[in-house]
Coordinates of all heavy atoms in Angstrom, one line a residue:
Y94 N 10.2 1.9 -4.3 CA 10.2 1.1 -3.1 C 10.0 2.0 -1.8 O 10.5 3.1 -1.8 CB 11.5 0.4 -2.9 CG 11.8 -0.7 -4.0 CD1 12.5 -0.3 -5.2 CD2 11.4 -2.0 -3.8 CE1 12.7 -1.3 -6.1 CE2 11.6 -3.0 -4.8 CZ 12.3 -2.6 -5.9 OH 12.5 -3.6 -6.9
A95 N 9.4 1.4 -0.8 CA 9.4 2.0 0.5 C 10.9 2.1 1.0 O 11.7 1.2 0.8 CB 8.6 1.2 1.5
D96 N 11.2 3.1 1.7 CA 12.6 3.3 2.2 C 13.0 2.1 3.1 O 14.1 1.7 3.1 CB 12.7 4.6 3.0 CG 12.7 5.8 2.1 OD1 12.9 5.7 0.9 OD2 12.4 6.9 2.7
S97 N 12.0 1.5 3.8 CA 12.3 0.5 4.7 C 12.7 -0.8 4.1 O 13.3 -1.7 4.7 CB 11.1 0.2 5.7 OG 10.0 -0.2 4.9
V98 N 12.5 -1.0 2.8 CA 12.8 -2.2 2.1 C 13.8 -2.1 1.0 O 14.2 -3.1 0.3 CB 11.5 -2.9 1.5 CG1 10.5 -3.1 2.6 CG2 11.0 -2.1 0.3
K99 N 14.2 -0.8 0.7 CA 15.2 -0.6 -0.4 C 16.5 -1.4 -0.1 O 17.0 -1.4 1.0 CB 15.5 0.9 -0.5 CG 14.4 1.7 -1.1 CD 14.8 3.2 -1.2 CE 13.8 4.0 -1.9 NZ 14.1 5.4 -1.9
G100 N 16.9 -2.0 -1.2 CA 18.1 -2.8 -1.1 C 17.9 -4.3 -0.6 O 18.8 -5.1 -0.6
R101 N 16.7 -4.5 -0.1 CA 16.4 -5.9 0.4 C 15.3 -6.6 -0.4 O 15.3 -7.8 -0.6 CB 15.9 -5.8 1.9 CG 17.0 -5.2 2.8 CD 16.5 -5.3 4.3 NE 15.3 -4.6 4.6 CZ 14.2 -5.2 5.0 NH1 14.1 -6.5 5.2 NH2 13.1 -4.5 5.2
F102 N 14.4 -5.8 -0.9 CA 13.3 -6.4 -1.7 C 13.4 -6.0 -3.2 O 13.9 -4.9 -3.5 CB 11.9 -5.8 -1.2 CG 11.5 -6.3 0.2 CD1 12.4 -7.0 1.0 CD2 10.2 -6.1 0.6 CE1 12.0 -7.4 2.2 CE2 9.8 -6.5 1.8 CZ 10.7 -7.2 2.7
T103 N 13.0 -6.9 -4.1 CA 13.0 -6.6 -5.5 C 11.6 -7.0 -6.1 O 11.1 -8.1 -5.9 CB 14.1 -7.4 -6.2 OG1 15.3 -7.1 -5.6 CG2 14.1 -7.1 -7.7
I104 N 11.0 -6.0 -6.8 CA 9.7 -6.2 -7.4 C 10.0 -6.4 -8.9 O 10.9 -5.7 -9.5 CB 8.7 -5.1 -7.2 CG1 7.3 -5.5 -7.7 CG2 9.2 -3.8 -7.8 CD1 6.2 -4.5 -7.2
S105 N 9.3 -7.3 -9.5 CA 9.4 -7.5 -11.0 C 8.0 -8.0 -11.5 O 7.1 -8.3 -10.7 CB 10.5 -8.6 -11.3 OG 10.1 -9.8 -10.7
R106 N 7.9 -7.9 -12.8 CA 6.6 -8.3 -13.4 C 6.8 -9.0 -14.7 O 7.8 -8.8 -15.4 CB 5.7 -7.1 -13.6 CG 6.1 -6.1 -14.5 CD 5.2 -4.9 -14.4 NE 4.0 -5.1 -15.2 CZ 3.0 -4.2 -15.3 NH1 3.1 -3.0 -14.6 NH2 1.9 -4.4 -16.0
D107 N 5.9 -9.9 -15.1 CA 5.8 -10.5 -16.4 C 4.6 -10.0 -17.0 O 3.4 -10.4 -16.7 CB 5.8 -12.1 -16.2 CG 5.8 -12.8 -17.5 OD1 5.3 -12.3 -18.5 OD2 6.2 -14.0 -17.5
N108 N 4.7 -9.1 -18.0 CA 3.5 -8.5 -18.6 C 2.7 -9.5 -19.4 O 1.5 -9.4 -19.5 CB 4.0 -7.4 -19.5 CG 4.5 -6.2 -18.7 OD1 4.1 -5.9 -17.6 ND2 5.4 -5.4 -19.3
A109 N 3.4 -10.5 -20.0 CA 2.7 -11.5 -20.8 C 1.8 -12.3 -19.9 O 0.7 -12.8 -20.4 CB 3.7 -12.3 -21.6
E110 N 2.2 -12.6 -18.7 CA 1.4 -13.4 -17.8 C 0.6 -12.6 -16.8 O 0.0 -13.2 -15.9 CB 2.4 -14.4 -17.1 CG 3.1 -15.3 -18.0 CD 2.2 -16.3 -18.6 OE1 1.1 -16.7 -18.0 OE2 2.5 -16.7 -19.8
N111 N 0.7 -11.3 -16.9 CA 0.0 -10.4 -15.9 C 0.3 -10.9 -14.5 O -0.6 -11.0 -13.6 CB -1.5 -10.5 -16.1 CG -2.0 -9.8 -17.4 OD1 -1.3 -8.9 -17.8 ND2 -3.1 -10.2 -17.9
T112 N 1.6 -11.0 -14.2 CA 2.1 -11.5 -12.9 C 3.1 -10.6 -12.3 O 4.0 -10.1 -13.1 CB 2.6 -12.9 -13.0 OG1 1.6 -13.8 -13.6 CG2 3.1 -13.5 -11.7
V113 N 3.0 -10.4 -11.0 CA 4.0 -9.5 -10.3 C 4.6 -10.4 -9.3 O 4.0 -11.2 -8.7 CB 3.4 -8.3 -9.8 CG1 2.3 -8.6 -8.7 CG2 4.4 -7.3 -9.2
Y114 N 5.9 -10.2 -9.1 CA 6.7 -10.9 -8.1 C 7.3 -10.0 -7.1 O 7.6 -8.8 -7.3 CB 7.8 -11.7 -8.8 CG 7.3 -12.6 -9.9 CD1 7.3 -12.2 -11.2 CD2 6.9 -13.9 -9.6 CE1 6.9 -13.0 -12.2 CE2 6.5 -14.7 -10.6 CZ 6.5 -14.3 -11.9 OH 6.0 -15.1 -12.9
L115 N 7.5 -10.5 -5.9 CA 8.3 -9.7 -4.9 C 9.3 -10.7 -4.2 O 8.9 -11.7 -3.6 CB 7.4 -9.2 -3.8 CG 8.1 -8.3 -2.8 CD1 8.5 -7.0 -3.4 CD2 7.1 -7.9 -1.6
Q116 N 10.6 -10.4 -4.5 CA 11.6 -11.2 -3.9 C 12.1 -10.5 -2.6 O 12.5 -9.3 -2.7 CB 12.8 -11.4 -4.8 CG 14.0 -12.1 -4.3 CD 13.7 -13.5 -3.9 OE1 13.0 -14.3 -4.6 NE2 14.2 -14.0 -2.7
M117 N 12.0 -11.1 -1.5 CA 12.4 -10.5 -0.2 C 13.6 -11.2 0.4 O 13.5 -12.4 0.5 CB 11.2 -10.5 0.8 CG 9.9 -9.9 0.2 SD 8.5 -10.0 1.3 CE 8.2 -11.8 1.3
S118 N 14.6 -10.4 0.8 CA 15.7 -11.0 1.4 C 16.1 -10.2 2.6 O 15.6 -9.1 2.8 CB 16.9 -11.1 0.4 OG 17.2 -9.8 -0.1
S119 N 17.0 -10.7 3.4 CA 17.4 -10.1 4.7 C 16.2 -9.6 5.5 O 16.2 -8.5 5.9 CB 18.4 -8.9 4.3 OG 19.5 -9.2 3.6
L120 N 15.3 -10.5 5.6 CA 14.0 -10.2 6.3 C 14.2 -9.9 7.7 O 15.1 -10.5 8.4 CB 13.0 -11.3 6.1 CG 12.4 -11.4 4.7 CD1 11.8 -12.7 4.4 CD2 11.3 -10.3 4.6
K121 N 13.4 -9.0 8.2 CA 13.5 -8.5 9.6 C 12.1 -8.8 10.3 O 11.1 -8.8 9.6 CB 13.8 -7.0 9.7 CG 15.1 -6.6 8.9 CD 15.2 -5.1 8.9 CE 16.4 -4.6 8.2 NZ 16.6 -3.2 8.2
P122 N 12.1 -8.9 11.6 CA 10.8 -9.1 12.3 C 9.8 -8.0 12.0 O 8.6 -8.3 11.9 CB 11.2 -9.1 13.8 CG 12.6 -9.6 13.8 CD 13.3 -9.1 12.5
E123 N 10.3 -6.8 11.7 CA 9.4 -5.7 11.4 C 8.8 -5.8 10.0 O 7.9 -5.1 9.6 CB 10.0 -4.4 11.6 CG 11.4 -4.2 10.9 CD 12.6 -4.5 11.8 OE1 12.5 -5.5 12.6 OE2 13.6 -3.7 11.7
D124 N 9.2 -6.8 9.2 CA 8.6 -7.1 7.9 C 7.4 -7.9 8.1 O 6.6 -8.2 7.1 CB 9.6 -7.8 7.0 CG 10.7 -6.9 6.6 OD1 10.5 -5.7 6.3 OD2 11.9 -7.4 6.6
T125 N 7.1 -8.4 9.3 CA 5.9 -9.3 9.5 C 4.7 -8.5 9.2 O 4.5 -7.4 9.8 CB 5.9 -9.8 11.0 OG1 7.1 -10.6 11.2 CG2 4.7 -10.5 11.3
A126 N 3.8 -9.1 8.4 CA 2.6 -8.4 8.0 C 1.8 -9.3 7.0 O 2.3 -10.3 6.6 CB 2.9 -7.0 7.3
V127 N 0.6 -8.9 6.7 CA -0.1 -9.5 5.6 C 0.2 -8.6 4.4 O 0.1 -7.4 4.4 CB -1.6 -9.4 5.9 CG1 -2.4 -10.0 4.6 CG2 -2.0 -10.2 7.1
Y128 N 0.7 -9.3 3.3 CA 1.1 -8.7 2.1 C 0.0 -8.8 1.1 O -0.6 -9.9 0.8 CB 2.4 -9.3 1.6 CG 3.6 -8.8 2.4 CD1 3.8 -9.2 3.7 CD2 4.5 -8.0 1.8 CE1 4.9 -8.8 4.4 CE2 5.6 -7.6 2.5 CZ 5.8 -7.9 3.8 OH 6.9 -7.5 4.5
Y129 N -0.4 -7.7 0.5 CA -1.5 -7.6 -0.5 C -1.0 -7.2 -1.9 O -0.2 -6.3 -2.0 CB -2.5 -6.6 -0.1 CG -3.3 -6.9 1.2 CD1 -2.8 -6.5 2.4 CD2 -4.4 -7.7 1.2 CE1 -3.4 -6.8 3.6 CE2 -5.1 -8.0 2.4 CZ -4.6 -7.5 3.6 OH -5.2 -7.8 4.7
C130 N -1.4 -7.9 -2.9 CA -1.1 -7.6 -4.3 C -2.1 -6.5 -4.7 O -3.3 -6.6 -4.3 CB -1.3 -8.9 -5.1 SG -1.1 -8.6 -6.9
Y131 N -1.7 -5.6 -5.6 CA -2.5 -4.6 -6.1 C -2.2 -4.4 -7.6 O -1.1 -4.5 -8.0 CB -2.2 -3.2 -5.4 CG -2.7 -2.0 -6.0 CD1 -4.0 -1.6 -5.7 CD2 -2.0 -1.3 -6.9 CE1 -4.6 -0.5 -6.3 CE2 -2.5 -0.1 -7.5 CZ -3.8 0.3 -7.2 OH -4.3 1.4 -7.8
T132 N -3.3 -4.2 -8.3 CA -3.2 -4.0 -9.8 C -4.1 -2.9 -10.2 O -5.3 -2.8 -9.7 CB -3.6 -5.3 -10.5 OG1 -2.7 -6.4 -10.2 CG2 -3.6 -5.1 -12.0
L133 N -3.6 -2.1 -11.1 CA -4.4 -1.0 -11.6 C -4.5 -1.1 -13.1 O -3.5 -1.1 -13.8 CB -3.7 0.4 -11.3 CG -4.4 1.6 -11.8 CD1 -5.8 1.8 -11.2 CD2 -3.6 2.9 -11.6
S134 N -5.7 -1.3 -13.6 CA -5.9 -1.2 -15.1 C -7.0 -0.2 -15.3 O -6.8 1.0 -15.1 CB -6.3 -2.6 -15.6 OG -7.4 -3.1 -14.9
N135 N -8.2 -0.7 -15.7 CA -9.3 0.3 -15.8 C -9.9 0.6 -14.5 O -10.6 1.6 -14.3 CB -10.4 -0.3 -16.7 CG -11.0 -1.6 -16.2 OD1 -10.2 -2.5 -15.8 ND2 -12.3 -1.8 -16.1
R136 N -9.5 -0.2 -13.5 CA -9.9 0.1 -12.1 C -8.8 -0.7 -11.3 O -8.0 -1.4 -11.8 CB -11.3 -0.5 -11.7 CG -11.6 -1.9 -12.2 CD -12.6 -2.5 -11.4 NE -12.1 -2.9 -10.0 CZ -12.8 -3.6 -9.2 NH1 -14.0 -4.1 -9.5 NH2 -12.3 -3.9 -8.0
S137 N -8.9 -0.5 -10.0 CA -8.0 -1.1 -9.1 C -8.5 -2.5 -8.6 O -9.7 -2.6 -8.4 CB -7.6 -0.2 -7.9 OG -8.8 0.1 -7.2
Y138 N -7.6 -3.4 -8.3 CA -7.9 -4.7 -7.8 C -7.0 -5.0 -6.7 O -5.8 -4.7 -6.7 CB -7.8 -5.8 -8.9 CG -8.7 -5.6 -10.1 CD1 -8.3 -4.9 -11.2 CD2 -10.0 -6.1 -10.1 CE1 -9.1 -4.7 -12.3 CE2 -10.8 -5.9 -11.2 CZ -10.4 -5.2 -12.3 OH -11.2 -5.1 -13.3
W139 N -7.5 -5.8 -5.7 CA -6.7 -6.2 -4.6 C -6.7 -7.7 -4.4 O -7.8 -8.4 -4.7 CB -7.2 -5.6 -3.3 CG -6.9 -4.1 -3.2 CD1 -7.8 -3.1 -3.5 CD2 -5.8 -3.5 -2.6 NE1 -7.2 -1.9 -3.3 CE2 -6.0 -2.1 -2.7 CE3 -4.6 -3.9 -2.1 CZ2 -5.0 -1.2 -2.3 CZ3 -3.6 -3.0 -1.7 CH2 -3.9 -1.6 -1.8
G140 N -5.6 -8.3 -4.0 CA -5.5 -9.7 -3.7 C -6.1 -9.9 -2.3 O -6.4 -9.0 -1.6

């Protein structure tokens, strides 16, 4: 995790469904951004 989100955000994944989750809590105005999903297999992919 980035230091700025430790203790507030939780990442998890479901390998069977090739799905990644991000649970965000105690959100701050500085968390405002466009969030992009990233996957690395034989190459990288972006949402």
Side-chain angles (χ1 to χ4, degrees):
Y94 294 91
D96 288 342
S97 59
V98 306
K99 283 181 180 177
R101 301 188 297 121
F102 290 12
T103 301
I104 190 170
S105 61
R106 64 187 282 177
D107 183 333
N108 290 331
E110 296 295 329
N111 289 334
T112 300
V113 62
Y114 305 93
L115 186 68
Q116 176 64 42
M117 304 180 290
S118 59
S119 301
L120 283 160
K121 305 175 181 180
E123 51 264 43
D124 294 318
T125 295
V127 177
Y128 283 68
Y129 296 92
C130 176
Y131 168 86
T132 295
L133 177 64
S134 59
N135 58 315
R136 49 154 288 189
S137 59
Y138 299 92
W139 290 92

